[in-house]
Amino acid sequence: MNIEILQSKDGNKTCKIDSIFVHSSYSPVKESQRITQGIQTNFIPEIIFIVEPCLSYICKDLKEKFPKSKIAVIRIIKEFSEYNSLFDYSFNYFDFQNEKKLMDYIFDTFGENILAFSYLISWEPVAPLLNDQIIRIFNEYKLLIEKCHSILRTRAFFEKRWIKNSFNISKSINKIATISRKGNCNVLVCASGPSLKSVIPFIKKTNPYIIAVSSAAAPLLQNNIVPDIIISTDGGYWAKKHIQKIPKESLLCLAVEGNAPIQIIKNNFIIPIIYNDGIESEIYKSTGLPYINGIRCGTVSGTALFFAKQITSGNIYFSGLDLSITKGFQHTQINNLELLNMPFDNILNSKEKRLCSAEFSNQKISLKIYEDWFSNQENKDNKIYRIINSANNSLGNISDIQVSELENVNFSGEKPIFTRDTFIPDAKRTNNLINFVTNLKSNEYWLKNAFPTDYLNYTHTYDENLKRKLSEKMETETTKLLDRLCSHIIKT
């Protein structure tokens, strides 16, 4: 591009790119003010992104019109990068391989709470010159916002369930295992994709150190393979079905918001996982009991990867990490949810119809999100491999190896050692939980976590009437939920 910096009629700088003015030749300041006046939003933006504003006059005007919002630039033309310092945040499009990588980075930077109430514009005069790039950025941003809204809907639906799960675990857990010595052996992480089946004969012959996600436990146990550790993070009702019959000799790595049968919580040795966000972690921490840190990434396999890195310096091998829709069963059999569904199959609603429906469901979207997450792993500290004979996708820096190549992998070495302690629930723990609950009322952190969509709508709306209704709703539901939790703690 041929960029010319000129002086406008009013004495300010203006600019031409390939002989086209991208700022007014008369008054670029007034032009920016006029364009800014035309920008209208139906909510208070957390952050406003502007694509390639060239000399960036609009930054000052946006800050004046939206004083509560942060202003970020998505810079396409490198020559204008010197103006990035005017903005609260800057993202150089040319530093990324494509707009998807850019949006993934923006999501990692801000998260769904902020981005769901963000706003994207472009500097109008430059649009004809950068039309293709701008369209691609806007299209990818649209997908990003849809992803954020989907996450918030999921959180709104499950949040109260997760809070109840955290209280159940916090008040009932008896036996806790903590890592006392990191191992150096190679570790096999078993997910439940169909390709797990091809690795089972090797596992039976070699006896590697196994971390199994909850849905992979049943097919392993059916083959007389007892995982060293089973990991469960899902807080939904059906999640506990996968772990209701796990053996006592297996450690259970359990997210404190996860759903588990009460007898498992009381009788099995558990490695509690907390995340760096959410009220559930704060509930558990109020007990003073031990825990390990985990990462929230949407898929238990991602949390299992982070956990594996904490307990060994050896290589990490994934089996069953297909992350793609296949014909027939989507999980290695047996699968506990399949056993629950089978009795309801009939002529009108056959197993084939059910499996076909799963093949064309929204599961494709979820698997694509998980695939992208694994593809973005840097793979520095531990060497990570996926064991799969015929892959339908690629996972970036995670290399694929054939099942036959496992013959050359040595799974010996020092295994991680865990200390096992017993913590009988007592009055002190009960009082800590009750005091924590009592202090939650009208707590902003509580509202933000317990009512994510309502709270975010409350803080971002211009409508005072809607704001009042949302406030009353959150207050009423808070009283009901916390009173019920306190009553449940006292009774048990």
Side-chain angles (χ1 to χ4, degrees), residues 175-179 251 269-272 290 292 418-421:
K175 302 173 179 178
I176 298 178
T178 52
I179 182 74
L251 292 174
F269 273 99
I270 291 174
I271 307 167
I292 66 165
F418 291 85
T419 300
R420 304 178 186 223
D421 296 303

Side-chain angles (χ1 to χ4, degrees), residues 55-214:
L55 299 181
S56 303
Y57 290 108
I58 197 172
C59 179
K60 177 177 178 292
D61 298 318
L62 286 173
K63 287 185 175 183
E64 289 178 357
K65 182 168 184 175
F66 300 95
K68 295 183 178 180
S69 306
K70 299 294 185 182
I71 313 299
V73 59
I74 296 177
R75 187 69 69 187
I76 296 179
I77 302 173
K78 186 177 292 187
E79 285 79 0
F80 295 122
S81 298
E82 64 181 281
Y83 297 96
N84 284 3
S85 60
L86 298 173
F87 296 84
D88 297 301
Y89 304 99
S90 61
F91 301 91
N92 293 328
Y93 177 75
F94 43 82
D95 287 339
F96 296 85
Q97 295 175 348
N98 52 50
E99 49 281 341
K100 186 181 185 318
K101 294 284 187 183
L102 168 64
M103 290 302 162
D104 285 344
Y105 182 79
I106 287 175
F107 178 79
D108 291 340
T109 302
F110 298 111
E112 68 273 8
N113 282 14
I114 289 177
L115 292 175
F117 290 88
S118 64
Y119 197 70
L120 177 67
I121 59 175
S122 65
W123 178 242
E124 292 178 11
V126 82
L129 292 166
L130 302 171
N131 186 60
D132 291 344
Q133 295 99 315
I134 291 173
I135 288 175
R136 290 199 302 270
I137 289 171
F138 268 79
N139 286 340
E140 201 61 45
Y141 175 79
K142 180 182 177 182
L143 295 175
L144 173 65
I145 298 305
E146 289 174 356
K147 173 183 174 180
C148 291
H149 288 167
S150 175
I151 293 171
L152 286 173
R153 284 194 297 271
T154 300
R155 284 176 51 196
F157 184 81
F158 284 109
E159 191 68 49
K160 295 179 186 65
R161 176 70 262 176
W162 293 341
I163 290 169
K164 292 174 184 176
N165 291 344
S166 183
F167 271 104
N168 281 335
I169 292 170
S170 298
K171 71 183 178 59
S172 303
I173 192 168
N174 285 334
K175 302 173 179 178
I176 298 178
T178 52
I179 182 74
S180 59
R181 193 190 74 188
K182 191 173 184 177
N184 59 19
C185 63
N186 294 330
V187 168
L188 179 66
V189 180
C190 294
S192 61
S195 65
L196 172 63
K197 184 177 180 180
S198 64
V199 184
I200 286 177
F202 171 83
I203 298 175
K204 294 172 79 170
K205 181 172 65 175
T206 311
N207 192 32
Y209 193 89
I210 296 175
I211 300 172
V213 307
S214 52

Side-chain angles (χ1 to χ4, degrees), residues 393-406:
N393 51 22
S394 172
L395 299 184
N397 294 321
I398 298 176
S399 302
D400 289 343
I401 65 172
Q402 300 283 306
V403 176
S404 59
E405 294 180 65
L406 287 175

Side-chain angles (χ1 to χ4, degrees), residues 147-422:
K147 173 183 174 180
C148 291
H149 288 167
S150 175
I151 293 171
L152 286 173
R153 284 194 297 271
T154 300
R155 284 176 51 196
F157 184 81
F158 284 109
E159 191 68 49
K160 295 179 186 65
R161 176 70 262 176
W162 293 341
I163 290 169
K164 292 174 184 176
N165 291 344
S166 183
F167 271 104
N168 281 335
I169 292 170
S170 298
K171 71 183 178 59
S172 303
I173 192 168
N174 285 334
K175 302 173 179 178
I176 298 178
T178 52
I179 182 74
S180 59
R181 193 190 74 188
K182 191 173 184 177
N184 59 19
C185 63
N186 294 330
V187 168
L188 179 66
V189 180
C190 294
S192 61
S195 65
L196 172 63
K197 184 177 180 180
S198 64
V199 184
I200 286 177
F202 171 83
I203 298 175
K204 294 172 79 170
K205 181 172 65 175
T206 311
N207 192 32
Y209 193 89
I210 296 175
I211 300 172
V213 307
S214 52
S215 53
L220 293 175
L221 294 170
Q222 185 192 36
N223 284 276
N224 298 315
I225 298 168
V226 179
D228 296 275
I229 298 173
I230 295 169
I231 183 167
S232 179
T233 60
D234 195 342
Y237 171 78
W238 297 107
K240 64 183 180 182
K241 299 297 181 182
H242 289 304
I243 57 175
Q244 61 186 355
K245 295 182 179 179
I246 63 173
K248 286 187 176 180
E249 56 265 40
S250 290
L251 292 174
L252 174 61
C253 192
L254 179 65
V256 297
E257 63 193 42
N259 198 358
I262 194 67
Q263 71 271 15
I264 296 291
I265 296 173
K266 289 182 176 181
N267 298 329
N268 276 65
F269 273 99
I270 291 174
I271 307 167
I273 303 174
I274 70 164
Y275 302 122
N276 60 1
D277 63 345
I279 199 72
E280 300 81 17
S281 296
E282 299 302 318
I283 292 168
Y284 181 85
K285 285 196 287 188
S286 74
T287 66
L289 296 170
Y291 59 84
I292 66 165
N293 291 303
I295 57 167
R296 190 192 299 280
C297 58
T299 168
V300 62
S301 295
T303 307
L305 172 59
F306 184 76
F307 173 70
K309 289 181 177 182
Q310 291 181 79
I311 67 169
T312 187
S313 58
N315 295 341
I316 298 168
Y317 294 83
F318 267 95
S319 61
L321 194 67
D322 300 55
L323 299 180
S324 62
I325 294 291
T326 58
K327 296 289 184 182
F329 292 112
Q330 302 304 313
H331 300 278
T332 296
Q333 301 302 304
I334 58 173
N335 180 275
N336 284 338
L337 298 189
E338 174 65 20
L339 295 177
L340 290 170
N341 289 326
M342 282 172 55
F344 300 99
D345 292 335
N346 53 50
I347 294 175
L348 295 178
N349 296 289
S350 65
K351 178 174 74 173
E352 289 74 15
K353 181 179 178 180
R354 174 164 56 80
L355 296 179
C356 183
S357 176
E359 185 178 338
F360 292 98
S361 69
N362 289 334
Q363 189 178 5
K364 284 184 178 180
I365 299 173
S366 298
L367 290 175
K368 181 62 177 141
I369 292 172
Y370 306 155
E371 176 190 320
D372 290 342
W373 187 88
F374 276 97
S375 297
N376 287 326
Q377 298 308 297
E378 293 184 348
N379 202 1
K380 285 182 179 178
D381 301 329
N382 301 74
K383 292 184 178 178
I384 309 166
Y385 301 91
R386 177 173 65 162
I387 308 162
I388 193 165
N389 283 336
S390 181
N392 294 323
N393 51 22
S394 172
L395 299 184
N397 294 321
I398 298 176
S399 302
D400 289 343
I401 65 172
Q402 300 283 306
V403 176
S404 59
E405 294 180 65
L406 287 175
E407 299 292 341
N408 302 319
V409 177
N410 183 359
F411 280 94
S412 62
E414 292 183 354
K415 297 180 179 180
I417 295 177
F418 291 85
T419 300
R420 304 178 186 223
D421 296 303
T422 300

